[in-house]
Amino acid sequence: WDDELLARLSIPRSLMPEVLPSSADFGVTTDALFGSSVNIGGVAGDQQSALFGQACFSAGMAKNTYGTGCFMLMHTGHNFQISQNGLLTTSAAQTHSRPEFAMEGSVFVGGAVVQWLRDGLRAIENSGEVQSLAESVPDSGGVMLVPAFTGLGAPYWKPDARGTITGLTRGTTIAHIARAALESIAYQSAALLQAMSRDAVAAG
């Protein structure tokens, strides 16, 4: 625990729980919750769990999770590395007491751009249609879509950014926009990977 933060927030250190590895004996639940006590043997955040679940156990291994947003983590081993490229440093899930860390980057709008095509633009009736619509054209026809509906996450961190569609012509169809929307997920993920690669090279 950080003594400076505890002091600023007027939290007595004695109130804080013991810090344990992700895999440890955290105690048991009370009988009343589930009818009998259940051992609590692990804790981990969703992205830390995904990094562990994808067997990224050593420095340099990375995963990208695709959902409403996209979340990329790269294991940095025992090295608490500060990013020079707009990424966050986070704890990694671990099975032993020596701390392990990861670099993390978040894309705010990943799969949510498909929801927007369906619910906002009404270009499709259900999400499963987006692939065939995007594949009905050979490319995006020069259309670029930046789905900054809630700002831009890593590595840009621009909360005031807003979504943009450029490259529209008389020949642009909804299929081109759908393809550009899917490509935007790839472009944003690629930006995270490039940022992580630069940090990895800098770390040696």
Side-chain angles (χ1 to χ4, degrees), residues 8 35 38 92:
R8 286 181 179 270
V38 175

Side-chain angles (χ1 to χ4, degrees), residues 137 140-143 165-178 180:
V137 289
S140 68
V143 176
I165 302 177
T166 64
L168 299 176
T169 69
R170 284 287 299 270
T172 299
T173 67
I174 198 65
H176 293 107
I177 294 173

Side-chain angles (χ1 to χ4, degrees), residues 56-130:
C56 298
F57 302 135
S58 58
M61 300 184 76
K63 68 87 191 169
N64 196 29
T65 306
Y66 297 85
T68 302
C70 299
F71 302 90
M72 186 177 293
L73 270 71
M74 180 180 70
H75 208 294
T76 59
H78 304 297
N79 180 26
F80 184 92
Q81 183 179 343
I82 302 298
S83 174
Q84 302 303 310
N85 295 281
L87 304 174
L88 305 176
T89 303
T90 186
S91 292
Q94 60 210 49
T95 58
H96 46 79
S97 59
R98 187 178 179 191
E100 295 182 352
F101 303 97
M103 305 294 289
E104 179 175 5
S106 303
V107 169
F108 294 159
V109 177
V113 76
V114 178
Q115 294 175 327
W116 172 75
L117 288 171
R118 183 192 66 200
D119 303 335
L121 207 56
R122 300 191 181 280
I124 52 176
E125 290 189 9
N126 62 73
S127 299
E129 297 174 9
V130 71

Side-chain angles (χ1 to χ4, degrees), residues 11-90:
I11 300 173
R13 192 180 183 90
S14 60
L15 291 180
M16 305 306 290
E18 179 185 0
V19 177
L20 297 170
S22 306
S23 178
D25 181 7
F26 291 92
V28 296
T29 64
T30 59
D31 293 347
L33 284 175
F34 303 110
S36 62
S37 62
V38 175
N39 291 330
I40 302 173
V43 294
D46 54 353
Q47 298 312 316
Q48 289 78 7
S49 297
L51 186 71
F52 193 90
Q54 292 293 325
C56 298
F57 302 135
S58 58
M61 300 184 76
K63 68 87 191 169
N64 196 29
T65 306
Y66 297 85
T68 302
C70 299
F71 302 90
M72 186 177 293
L73 270 71
M74 180 180 70
H75 208 294
T76 59
H78 304 297
N79 180 26
F80 184 92
Q81 183 179 343
I82 302 298
S83 174
Q84 302 303 310
N85 295 281
L87 304 174
L88 305 176
T89 303
T90 186

Side-chain angles (χ1 to χ4, degrees), residues 108-109 147-153 158-163 188:
F108 294 159
V109 177
F149 304 145
T150 56
L152 285 173
K158 294 189 178 295
D160 56 342
R162 290 297 175 260
Q188 291 177 99

